[in-house]
Amino acid sequence: MKKGGSFFWGVILGTMAGLIVGMILTPKKEEKIKNILEKKTEELRDNLQEIGKKIGKRVHKIKSDFKSKWKKNKIEKMDQVEDELGT
């Protein structure tokens, strides 16, 4: 009986010790994961900002090209109308 009782207490104490050690180590792992996720989130945000800036520059360039072509076309048509009217 004595051997059975020692085994029983060993299992109970070992389980409790394992749970306590697990609780102590778990927050450290969560902090590491949290730090890694924060770094990745910052990198992703920076990359998205860079992409947004590049897209903004391209849109601005297309817009200015379109605007200059439209003005040029408008002036040419006005000149053509003036030539036709003789004014």
Side-chain angles (χ1 to χ4, degrees), residues 11 22-23 28 31-32 39 49 52 55 66 69 75 79:
V11 169
M23 287 183 212
K28 291 181 182 178
E31 288 176 11
K32 288 180 182 178
K39 289 178 184 176
Q49 285 178 349
I55 290 172
F66 179 74
K69 287 180 183 179
I75 291 171
D79 289 341

Side-chain angles (χ1 to χ4, degrees), residues 44-60:
L44 181 63
R45 183 180 38 195
D46 293 340
N47 289 341
L48 288 175
Q49 285 178 349
E50 288 178 24
I51 291 170
K53 287 179 184 177
K54 288 180 182 178
I55 290 172
K57 287 179 183 178
R58 287 188 180 176
V59 167
H60 181 69

Side-chain angles (χ1 to χ4, degrees), residues 1-8:
M1 274 312 261
K2 207 169 194 184
K3 288 184 180 179
S6 297
F7 176 76
F8 179 71

Side-chain angles (χ1 to χ4, degrees), residues 16-68:
M16 290 175 65
L19 290 173
I20 291 170
V21 170
M23 287 183 212
I24 291 172
L25 295 178
T26 301
K28 291 181 182 178
K29 289 181 182 178
E30 288 177 358
E31 288 176 11
K32 288 180 182 178
I33 292 171
K34 185 178 177 182
N35 289 338
I36 291 171
L37 288 176
E38 285 178 4
K39 289 178 184 176
K40 294 295 181 184
T41 303
E42 288 175 8
E43 289 176 12
L44 181 63
R45 183 180 38 195
D46 293 340
N47 289 341
L48 288 175
Q49 285 178 349
E50 288 178 24
I51 291 170
K53 287 179 184 177
K54 288 180 182 178
I55 290 172
K57 287 179 183 178
R58 287 188 180 176
V59 167
H60 181 69
K61 183 179 178 183
I62 291 169
K63 183 180 174 183
S64 62
D65 288 347
F66 179 74
K67 190 183 278 187
S68 64

